[in-house]
Amino acid sequence: MSTARRSYSPHGLHRPPFVPASQGDKRSPCPALNALANHGYLPHDGKNIGIWQLIQAVRSVYNLSFPLAALLALTGILFCGHAMRLDLDALALHNKIEHDASIVHADALEGHSKAPIPVDPDLLHSFLSHANPHKGMSLGCLAQVRVDREAGLASPLDHLHSEIGTGEAALCWLLLKEDNGQIPLSTLSQWYGEERIPDDWAPPQKGVGIFDARQKANEVAELMQRIRCQ
């Protein structure tokens, strides 16, 4: 039986249908933004997205606070955008926001300016294998995934990209978890693997703010340190 803690869902029963990217559409290494484009909350072609479009989409679907939504949107556009607009594939520019040891995307090849954008099937399988098939994935499991991915690097991530990695894991957990603190395996598979809004998912009833994300990212970092010391 589901332990979902939410009754609110974006746009009620009128969620736009899932339409995967087709030839010429732009996508990013970020499953959250790709899902928004695949459901039409962002332009389906993933091109020329304005800052207010980004803010409105992540707020309406994921229930982020305005300050957090604005911070994420502005960071993406300042690091990877052009004239305060963004093409989703620009978020793959290596070592801007994108970093090695991504959860389901391969590292950038030497000499390439962008990391691979398609989901790597082997990394996806490895990621999902960390989840309990009956309970789902806990915050501790996400920390273990990050430790395992970073352990394969020739040199450690710099401080900025290490912080981005823990922040991504924290936001994943805050947005997708159920009342029991676990993310269902089906939710992870649809969000990360298919880049769609999961069928039985609804956003957190309480908006997710900057303090929530920072606090949980610190917790992920602490869990990772404990795992490394074992």
Side-chain angles (χ1 to χ4, degrees):
M1 180 177 293
S2 173
T3 57
R5 77 237 187 291
R6 307 163 179 134
S7 57
Y8 163 74
S9 62
H11 303 280
L13 299 176
H14 304 291
R15 177 184 293 169
F18 169 72
V19 181
S22 56
Q23 186 173 3
D25 292 336
K26 305 291 187 182
R27 291 297 181 265
S28 76
C30 175
L33 295 182
N34 292 346
L36 294 179
N38 288 338
H39 283 274
Y41 294 102
L42 291 174
H44 191 266
D45 65 5
K47 301 175 184 177
N48 203 34
I49 302 169
I51 186 169
W52 292 112
Q53 285 178 294
L54 276 174
I55 292 171
Q56 182 179 10
V58 297
R59 291 201 71 208
S60 66
V61 176
Y62 297 122
N63 202 19
L64 301 188
S65 70
F66 179 82
L68 179 56
L71 175 64
L72 295 175
L74 186 60
T75 299
I77 284 178
L78 289 179
F79 275 76
C80 304
H82 54 92
M84 296 305 290
R85 305 191 78 80
L86 180 71
D87 293 341
L88 288 181
D89 66 324
L91 292 170
L93 289 167
H94 186 49
N95 276 342
K96 295 288 189 177
I97 296 171
E98 181 279 334
H99 54 85
D100 286 338
S102 170
I103 288 180
V104 297
H105 294 88
D107 296 343
L109 297 174
E110 185 174 355
H112 288 233
S113 63
K114 289 183 177 180
I117 291 175
V119 174
D120 184 291
D122 293 334
L123 290 176
L124 176 65
H125 180 268
S126 175
F127 169 53
L128 296 178
S129 72
H130 284 76
N132 181 301
H134 304 293
K135 294 181 180 179
M137 186 170 290
S138 66
L139 189 67
C141 291
L142 282 167
Q144 182 69 63
V145 172
R146 289 242 40 87
V147 170
D148 291 349
R149 286 289 288 124
E150 292 183 26
L153 296 176
S155 57
L157 294 176
D158 59 37
H159 179 72
L160 172 63
H161 293 97
S162 177
E163 291 274 304
I164 291 173
T166 57
E168 290 165 347
L171 271 178
C172 166
W173 186 81
L174 287 167
L175 295 180
L176 302 182
K177 70 179 179 72
E178 295 189 339
D179 276 343
N180 61 1
Q182 307 278 343
I183 305 172
L185 190 58
S186 60
T187 297
L188 292 168
S189 180
Q190 288 185 325
W191 206 56
Y192 278 98
E194 301 175 43
E195 298 184 321
R196 65 187 296 160
I197 297 172
D199 293 335
D200 297 323
W201 174 86
Q205 290 181 330
K206 179 180 178 293
V208 176
I210 291 176
F211 176 77
D212 304 309
R214 180 70 269 171
Q215 184 181 50
K216 200 54 62 177
N218 288 343
E219 189 174 340
V220 172
E222 291 171 4
L223 289 167
M224 291 174 64
Q225 186 60 31
R226 290 179 201 165
I227 293 168
R228 287 173 174 141
C229 291
Q230 289 176 355

